[in-house]
mmCIF file of all heavy atoms in Angstrom:
data_model
loop_
_atom_site.group_PDB
_atom_site.id
_atom_site.type_symbol
_atom_site.label_atom_id
_atom_site.label_comp_id
_atom_site.label_asym_id
_atom_site.label_seq_id
_atom_site.Cartn_x
_atom_site.Cartn_y
_atom_site.Cartn_z
ATOM 1 N N LEU H 522 -2.294 -19.775 10.482
ATOM 2 C CA LEU H 522 -3.116 -19.495 11.669
ATOM 3 C C LEU H 522 -4.458 -18.843 11.467
ATOM 4 O O LEU H 522 -4.687 -18.245 10.461
ATOM 5 C CB LEU H 522 -2.337 -18.666 12.678
ATOM 6 C CG LEU H 522 -3.143 -18.438 13.925
ATOM 7 C CD1 LEU H 522 -3.014 -19.630 14.845
ATOM 8 C CD2 LEU H 522 -2.753 -17.216 14.613
ATOM 9 N N GLY H 523 -5.207 -18.984 12.422
ATOM 10 C CA GLY H 523 -6.544 -18.446 12.415
ATOM 11 C C GLY H 523 -6.843 -17.695 13.665
ATOM 12 O O GLY H 523 -6.000 -17.043 14.200
ATOM 13 N N ALA H 524 -8.040 -17.783 14.177
ATOM 14 C CA ALA H 524 -8.433 -16.992 15.306
ATOM 15 C C ALA H 524 -9.349 -17.748 16.206
ATOM 16 O O ALA H 524 -10.040 -18.635 15.788
ATOM 17 C CB ALA H 524 -9.135 -15.736 14.820
ATOM 18 N N CYS H 525 -9.350 -17.379 17.449
ATOM 19 C CA CYS H 525 -10.252 -18.036 18.378
ATOM 20 C C CYS H 525 -10.525 -17.115 19.548
ATOM 21 O O CYS H 525 -9.773 -16.191 19.800
ATOM 22 C CB CYS H 525 -9.663 -19.346 18.885
ATOM 23 S SG CYS H 525 -8.127 -19.170 19.788
ATOM 24 N N LEU H 559 -13.107 -14.096 17.044
ATOM 25 C CA LEU H 559 -14.023 -14.622 16.042
ATOM 26 C C LEU H 559 -15.452 -14.165 16.287
ATOM 27 O O LEU H 559 -15.832 -13.837 17.412
ATOM 28 C CB LEU H 559 -13.997 -16.151 16.042
ATOM 29 C CG LEU H 559 -12.739 -16.842 15.531
ATOM 30 C CD1 LEU H 559 -12.916 -18.349 15.562
ATOM 31 C CD2 LEU H 559 -12.392 -16.391 14.130
ATOM 32 N N MET H 560 -16.249 -14.160 15.226
ATOM 33 C CA MET H 560 -17.669 -13.848 15.335
ATOM 34 C C MET H 560 -18.472 -15.065 14.909
ATOM 35 O O MET H 560 -18.115 -15.751 13.950
ATOM 36 C CB MET H 560 -18.027 -12.644 14.464
ATOM 37 C CG MET H 560 -19.518 -12.361 14.364
ATOM 38 S SD MET H 560 -19.888 -10.728 13.653
ATOM 39 C CE MET H 560 -19.927 -9.716 15.133
ATOM 40 N N LEU H 597 -23.167 -19.786 11.286
ATOM 41 C CA LEU H 597 -21.940 -20.074 12.043
ATOM 42 C C LEU H 597 -22.332 -20.479 13.463
ATOM 43 O O LEU H 597 -22.087 -19.770 14.432
ATOM 44 C CB LEU H 597 -21.028 -18.844 12.053
ATOM 45 C CG LEU H 597 -20.528 -18.387 10.685
ATOM 46 C CD1 LEU H 597 -19.757 -17.077 10.809
ATOM 47 C CD2 LEU H 597 -19.651 -19.458 10.033
ATOM 48 N N SER H 600 -19.536 -25.373 17.222
ATOM 49 C CA SER H 600 -18.460 -25.048 18.158
ATOM 50 C C SER H 600 -17.166 -24.732 17.417
ATOM 51 O O SER H 600 -16.348 -23.927 17.888
ATOM 52 C CB SER H 600 -18.238 -26.208 19.129
ATOM 53 O OG SER H 600 -17.880 -27.392 18.426
ATOM 54 N N ALA H 601 -16.973 -25.338 16.251
ATOM 55 C CA ALA H 601 -15.761 -25.098 15.466
ATOM 56 C C ALA H 601 -15.680 -23.658 14.975
ATOM 57 O O ALA H 601 -14.595 -23.170 14.656
ATOM 58 C CB ALA H 601 -15.720 -26.053 14.276
ATOM 59 N N ASN H 602 -16.815 -22.966 14.896
ATOM 60 C CA ASN H 602 -16.818 -21.568 14.458
ATOM 61 C C ASN H 602 -16.355 -20.621 15.561
ATOM 62 O O ASN H 602 -16.102 -19.447 15.297
ATOM 63 C CB ASN H 602 -18.219 -21.141 14.015
ATOM 64 C CG ASN H 602 -18.795 -22.017 12.927
ATOM 65 O OD1 ASN H 602 -19.940 -22.467 13.022
ATOM 66 N ND2 ASN H 602 -18.030 -22.292 11.878
ATOM 67 N N ARG H 603 -16.251 -21.131 16.778
ATOM 68 C CA ARG H 603 -15.960 -20.279 17.932
ATOM 69 C C ARG H 603 -14.499 -20.291 18.358
ATOM 70 O O ARG H 603 -14.060 -19.446 19.126
ATOM 71 C CB ARG H 603 -16.821 -20.708 19.117
ATOM 72 C CG ARG H 603 -18.307 -20.724 18.809
ATOM 73 C CD ARG H 603 -19.124 -21.147 20.010
ATOM 74 N NE ARG H 603 -20.541 -21.237 19.680
ATOM 75 C CZ ARG H 603 -21.495 -21.481 20.559
ATOM 76 N NH1 ARG H 603 -21.166 -21.680 21.825
ATOM 77 N NH2 ARG H 603 -22.752 -21.547 20.175
ATOM 78 N N HIS H 604 -13.738 -21.279 17.908
ATOM 79 C CA HIS H 604 -12.345 -21.360 18.330
ATOM 80 C C HIS H 604 -11.518 -22.081 17.282
ATOM 81 O O HIS H 604 -12.044 -22.795 16.427
ATOM 82 C CB HIS H 604 -12.237 -22.092 19.672
ATOM 83 C CG HIS H 604 -12.765 -23.498 19.639
ATOM 84 N ND1 HIS H 604 -12.039 -24.569 19.167
ATOM 85 C CD2 HIS H 604 -13.968 -24.005 19.994
ATOM 86 C CE1 HIS H 604 -12.759 -25.672 19.250
ATOM 87 N NE2 HIS H 604 -13.944 -25.357 19.741
ATOM 88 N N LEU H 605 -10.217 -21.885 17.352
ATOM 89 C CA LEU H 605 -9.321 -22.596 16.465
ATOM 90 C C LEU H 605 -8.690 -23.769 17.192
ATOM 91 O O LEU H 605 -8.647 -24.870 16.673
ATOM 92 C CB LEU H 605 -8.233 -21.659 15.959
ATOM 93 C CG LEU H 605 -7.224 -22.298 15.005
ATOM 94 C CD1 LEU H 605 -7.906 -22.707 13.712
ATOM 95 C CD2 LEU H 605 -6.075 -21.359 14.732
ATOM 96 N N PHE H 606 -8.210 -23.528 18.396
ATOM 97 C CA PHE H 606 -7.501 -24.549 19.149
ATOM 98 C C PHE H 606 -8.279 -24.970 20.383
ATOM 99 O O PHE H 606 -8.833 -24.139 21.083
ATOM 100 C CB PHE H 606 -6.137 -24.038 19.604
ATOM 101 C CG PHE H 606 -5.328 -23.445 18.490
ATOM 102 C CD1 PHE H 606 -4.946 -22.120 18.536
ATOM 103 C CD2 PHE H 606 -4.957 -24.212 17.402
ATOM 104 C CE1 PHE H 606 -4.203 -21.569 17.514
ATOM 105 C CE2 PHE H 606 -4.222 -23.670 16.368
ATOM 106 C CZ PHE H 606 -3.841 -22.350 16.427
ATOM 107 N N SER H 664 -3.538 -26.203 6.822
ATOM 108 C CA SER H 664 -4.664 -26.373 7.733
ATOM 109 C C SER H 664 -5.612 -25.196 7.684
ATOM 110 O O SER H 664 -6.799 -25.348 7.955
ATOM 111 C CB SER H 664 -4.165 -26.564 9.172
ATOM 112 O OG SER H 664 -3.387 -27.733 9.282
ATOM 113 N N PHE H 665 -5.087 -24.001 7.356
ATOM 114 C CA PHE H 665 -5.922 -22.807 7.322
ATOM 115 C C PHE H 665 -5.549 -21.927 6.140
ATOM 116 O O PHE H 665 -4.376 -21.826 5.782
ATOM 117 C CB PHE H 665 -5.753 -21.979 8.607
ATOM 118 C CG PHE H 665 -6.192 -22.690 9.840
ATOM 119 C CD1 PHE H 665 -5.284 -23.443 10.568
ATOM 120 C CD2 PHE H 665 -7.498 -22.617 10.268
ATOM 121 C CE1 PHE H 665 -5.678 -24.120 11.705
ATOM 122 C CE2 PHE H 665 -7.907 -23.283 11.401
ATOM 123 C CZ PHE H 665 -6.994 -24.047 12.130
ATOM 124 N N TYR H 666 -6.543 -21.306 5.538
ATOM 125 C CA TYR H 666 -6.313 -20.345 4.469
ATOM 126 C C TYR H 666 -7.079 -19.077 4.825
ATOM 127 O O TYR H 666 -8.298 -19.091 4.990
ATOM 128 C CB TYR H 666 -6.795 -20.894 3.122
ATOM 129 C CG TYR H 666 -6.588 -19.939 1.965
ATOM 130 C CD1 TYR H 666 -5.328 -19.760 1.407
ATOM 131 C CD2 TYR H 666 -7.651 -19.208 1.434
ATOM 132 C CE1 TYR H 666 -5.134 -18.881 0.355
ATOM 133 C CE2 TYR H 666 -7.470 -18.329 0.391
ATOM 134 C CZ TYR H 666 -6.196 -18.170 -0.158
ATOM 135 O OH TYR H 666 -5.999 -17.286 -1.196
ATOM 136 N N PHE H 668 -8.113 -14.900 4.153
ATOM 137 C CA PHE H 668 -8.300 -14.040 2.989
ATOM 138 C C PHE H 668 -9.515 -13.133 3.151
ATOM 139 O O PHE H 668 -10.356 -13.340 4.014
ATOM 140 C CB PHE H 668 -8.532 -14.909 1.748
ATOM 141 C CG PHE H 668 -9.762 -15.782 1.890
ATOM 142 C CD1 PHE H 668 -10.980 -15.386 1.372
ATOM 143 C CD2 PHE H 668 -9.699 -16.981 2.593
ATOM 144 C CE1 PHE H 668 -12.122 -16.173 1.538
ATOM 145 C CE2 PHE H 668 -10.832 -17.773 2.757
ATOM 146 C CZ PHE H 668 -12.041 -17.372 2.232
ATOM 147 N N ARG H 695 -9.329 -25.446 6.984
ATOM 148 C CA ARG H 695 -10.330 -24.491 7.450
ATOM 149 C C ARG H 695 -10.060 -23.123 6.809
ATOM 150 O O ARG H 695 -8.913 -22.751 6.589
ATOM 151 C CB ARG H 695 -10.305 -24.368 8.979
ATOM 152 C CG ARG H 695 -10.599 -25.690 9.701
ATOM 153 C CD ARG H 695 -12.018 -26.146 9.454
ATOM 154 N NE ARG H 695 -12.344 -27.399 10.124
ATOM 155 C CZ ARG H 695 -12.316 -28.592 9.563
ATOM 156 N NH1 ARG H 695 -11.917 -28.715 8.292
ATOM 157 N NH2 ARG H 695 -12.640 -29.675 10.239
ATOM 158 N N TYR H 696 -11.140 -22.381 6.531
ATOM 159 C CA TYR H 696 -11.028 -21.090 5.860
ATOM 160 C C TYR H 696 -11.370 -19.949 6.818
ATOM 161 O O TYR H 696 -12.370 -20.006 7.530
ATOM 162 C CB TYR H 696 -11.964 -21.054 4.650
ATOM 163 C CG TYR H 696 -11.639 -22.102 3.616
ATOM 164 C CD1 TYR H 696 -12.379 -23.280 3.537
ATOM 165 C CD2 TYR H 696 -10.579 -21.922 2.730
ATOM 166 C CE1 TYR H 696 -12.079 -24.251 2.593
ATOM 167 C CE2 TYR H 696 -10.269 -22.884 1.774
ATOM 168 C CZ TYR H 696 -11.014 -24.052 1.718
ATOM 169 O OH TYR H 696 -10.712 -25.011 0.799
ATOM 170 N N ILE H 697 -10.538 -18.913 6.805
ATOM 171 C CA ILE H 697 -10.712 -17.758 7.685
ATOM 172 C C ILE H 697 -11.109 -16.547 6.846
ATOM 173 O O ILE H 697 -10.294 -16.005 6.089
ATOM 174 C CB ILE H 697 -9.432 -17.453 8.465
ATOM 175 C CG1 ILE H 697 -8.995 -18.676 9.261
ATOM 176 C CG2 ILE H 697 -9.643 -16.266 9.409
ATOM 177 C CD1 ILE H 697 -7.570 -18.595 9.746
ATOM 178 N N PHE H 698 -12.352 -16.138 6.949
ATOM 179 C CA PHE H 698 -12.840 -14.956 6.247
ATOM 180 C C PHE H 698 -12.491 -13.696 7.036
ATOM 181 O O PHE H 698 -12.745 -13.624 8.245
ATOM 182 C CB PHE H 698 -14.360 -15.027 6.078
ATOM 183 C CG PHE H 698 -14.822 -15.751 4.843
ATOM 184 C CD1 PHE H 698 -14.782 -17.140 4.781
ATOM 185 C CD2 PHE H 698 -15.304 -15.050 3.741
ATOM 186 C CE1 PHE H 698 -15.227 -17.814 3.644
ATOM 187 C CE2 PHE H 698 -15.743 -15.719 2.603
ATOM 188 C CZ PHE H 698 -15.708 -17.098 2.557
ATOM 189 N N ILE H 699 -11.928 -12.711 6.348
ATOM 190 C CA ILE H 699 -11.718 -11.385 6.922
ATOM 191 C C ILE H 699 -12.802 -10.494 6.324
ATOM 192 O O ILE H 699 -12.764 -10.191 5.122
ATOM 193 C CB ILE H 699 -10.324 -10.832 6.585
ATOM 194 C CG1 ILE H 699 -9.242 -11.769 7.122
ATOM 195 C CG2 ILE H 699 -10.147 -9.429 7.179
ATOM 196 C CD1 ILE H 699 -7.841 -11.388 6.677
ATOM 197 N N PRO H 700 -13.794 -10.090 7.098
ATOM 198 C CA PRO H 700 -14.945 -9.362 6.539
ATOM 199 C C PRO H 700 -14.622 -7.915 6.194
ATOM 200 O O PRO H 700 -14.777 -7.013 7.007
ATOM 201 C CB PRO H 700 -15.978 -9.449 7.675
ATOM 202 C CG PRO H 700 -15.142 -9.480 8.916
ATOM 203 C CD PRO H 700 -13.912 -10.268 8.560
ATOM 204 N N LEU H 709 -19.561 -16.104 1.991
ATOM 205 C CA LEU H 709 -19.515 -17.045 3.113
ATOM 206 C C LEU H 709 -20.833 -17.796 3.241
ATOM 207 O O LEU H 709 -20.853 -19.025 3.405
ATOM 208 C CB LEU H 709 -19.200 -16.296 4.403
ATOM 209 C CG LEU H 709 -19.224 -17.123 5.705
ATOM 210 C CD1 LEU H 709 -18.308 -18.338 5.606
ATOM 211 C CD2 LEU H 709 -18.842 -16.245 6.890
ATOM 212 N N ILE H 713 -21.342 -21.939 2.666
ATOM 213 C CA ILE H 713 -21.894 -22.848 3.663
ATOM 214 C C ILE H 713 -23.109 -23.589 3.113
ATOM 215 O O ILE H 713 -23.288 -24.794 3.333
ATOM 216 C CB ILE H 713 -22.271 -22.077 4.943
ATOM 217 C CG1 ILE H 713 -21.015 -21.503 5.604
ATOM 218 C CG2 ILE H 713 -23.021 -22.980 5.921
ATOM 219 C CD1 ILE H 713 -21.296 -20.605 6.799
ATOM 220 N N SER H 737 -18.685 -27.120 4.656
ATOM 221 C CA SER H 737 -19.796 -26.973 5.592
ATOM 222 C C SER H 737 -19.456 -25.857 6.571
ATOM 223 O O SER H 737 -18.347 -25.312 6.544
ATOM 224 C CB SER H 737 -20.027 -28.284 6.359
ATOM 225 O OG SER H 737 -18.869 -28.627 7.106
ATOM 226 N N ALA H 738 -20.385 -25.528 7.426
ATOM 227 C CA ALA H 738 -20.186 -24.431 8.369
ATOM 228 C C ALA H 738 -18.948 -24.650 9.236
ATOM 229 O O ALA H 738 -18.259 -23.684 9.615
ATOM 230 C CB ALA H 738 -21.423 -24.281 9.258
ATOM 231 N N GLU H 739 -18.637 -25.914 9.554
ATOM 232 C CA GLU H 739 -17.498 -26.218 10.413
ATOM 233 C C GLU H 739 -16.162 -25.845 9.777
ATOM 234 O O GLU H 739 -15.159 -25.715 10.479
ATOM 235 C CB GLU H 739 -17.488 -27.711 10.768
ATOM 236 C CG GLU H 739 -18.571 -28.144 11.733
ATOM 237 C CD GLU H 739 -19.934 -28.259 11.069
ATOM 238 O OE1 GLU H 739 -20.006 -28.183 9.815
ATOM 239 O OE2 GLU H 739 -20.933 -28.435 11.799
ATOM 240 N N LYS H 740 -16.148 -25.664 8.471
ATOM 241 C CA LYS H 740 -14.894 -25.356 7.784
ATOM 242 C C LYS H 740 -14.561 -23.868 7.780
ATOM 243 O O LYS H 740 -13.473 -23.485 7.342
ATOM 244 C CB LYS H 740 -14.943 -25.851 6.327
ATOM 245 C CG LYS H 740 -14.924 -27.365 6.197
ATOM 246 C CD LYS H 740 -14.894 -27.793 4.735
ATOM 247 C CE LYS H 740 -13.539 -27.524 4.103
ATOM 248 N NZ LYS H 740 -12.518 -28.483 4.556
ATOM 249 N N PHE H 741 -15.491 -23.019 8.279
ATOM 250 C CA PHE H 741 -15.299 -21.584 8.152
ATOM 251 C C PHE H 741 -15.207 -20.863 9.502
ATOM 252 O O PHE H 741 -15.885 -21.233 10.464
ATOM 253 C CB PHE H 741 -16.439 -20.977 7.338
ATOM 254 C CG PHE H 741 -16.511 -21.516 5.939
ATOM 255 C CD1 PHE H 741 -17.430 -22.507 5.615
ATOM 256 C CD2 PHE H 741 -15.658 -21.054 4.948
ATOM 257 C CE1 PHE H 741 -17.508 -23.017 4.334
ATOM 258 C CE2 PHE H 741 -15.723 -21.558 3.667
ATOM 259 C CZ PHE H 741 -16.645 -22.550 3.354
ATOM 260 N N LYS H 742 -14.379 -19.819 9.511
ATOM 261 C CA LYS H 742 -14.242 -18.949 10.670
ATOM 262 C C LYS H 742 -14.272 -17.509 10.172
ATOM 263 O O LYS H 742 -13.827 -17.224 9.058
ATOM 264 C CB LYS H 742 -12.942 -19.245 11.414
ATOM 265 C CG LYS H 742 -12.827 -20.700 11.876
ATOM 266 C CD LYS H 742 -11.485 -20.998 12.502
ATOM 267 C CE LYS H 742 -11.305 -22.496 12.695
ATOM 268 N NZ LYS H 742 -12.298 -23.078 13.619
ATOM 269 N N LEU H 743 -14.816 -16.623 10.980
ATOM 270 C CA LEU H 743 -14.985 -15.226 10.585
ATOM 271 C C LEU H 743 -14.386 -14.317 11.653
ATOM 272 O O LEU H 743 -14.788 -14.377 12.817
ATOM 273 C CB LEU H 743 -16.476 -14.913 10.410
ATOM 274 C CG LEU H 743 -16.856 -13.479 10.045
ATOM 275 C CD1 LEU H 743 -16.412 -13.160 8.616
ATOM 276 C CD2 LEU H 743 -18.368 -13.264 10.193
ATOM 277 N N LEU H 744 -13.416 -13.485 11.261
ATOM 278 C CA LEU H 744 -12.851 -12.535 12.218
ATOM 279 C C LEU H 744 -13.922 -11.521 12.617
ATOM 280 O O LEU H 744 -14.713 -11.076 11.791
ATOM 281 C CB LEU H 744 -11.645 -11.811 11.621
ATOM 282 C CG LEU H 744 -10.367 -12.631 11.404
ATOM 283 C CD1 LEU H 744 -9.227 -11.724 10.963
ATOM 284 C CD2 LEU H 744 -9.970 -13.400 12.661
ATOM 285 N N HIS H 745 -13.914 -11.157 13.878
ATOM 286 C CA HIS H 745 -14.910 -10.231 14.419
ATOM 287 C C HIS H 745 -14.576 -8.793 14.030
ATOM 288 O O HIS H 745 -13.420 -8.368 14.157
ATOM 289 C CB HIS H 745 -14.933 -10.369 15.947
ATOM 290 C CG HIS H 745 -16.175 -9.861 16.594
ATOM 291 N ND1 HIS H 745 -16.599 -8.556 16.466
ATOM 292 C CD2 HIS H 745 -17.084 -10.483 17.390
ATOM 293 C CE1 HIS H 745 -17.716 -8.396 17.153
ATOM 294 N NE2 HIS H 745 -18.033 -9.550 17.721
#
Side-chain angles (χ1 to χ4, degrees):
L522 183 83
C525 62
L559 290 182
M560 172 167 270
L597 298 174
S600 60
N602 304 132
R603 305 180 183 186
H604 60 82
L605 180 66
F606 309 119
S664 298
F665 297 91
Y666 180 76
F668 60 96
R695 300 294 180 263
Y696 299 101
I697 303 164
F698 273 76
I699 301 173
L709 175 54
I713 295 174
S737 61
E739 288 77 10
K740 290 183 72 74
F741 298 100
K742 302 175 191 297
L743 178 69
L744 290 187
H745 200 301

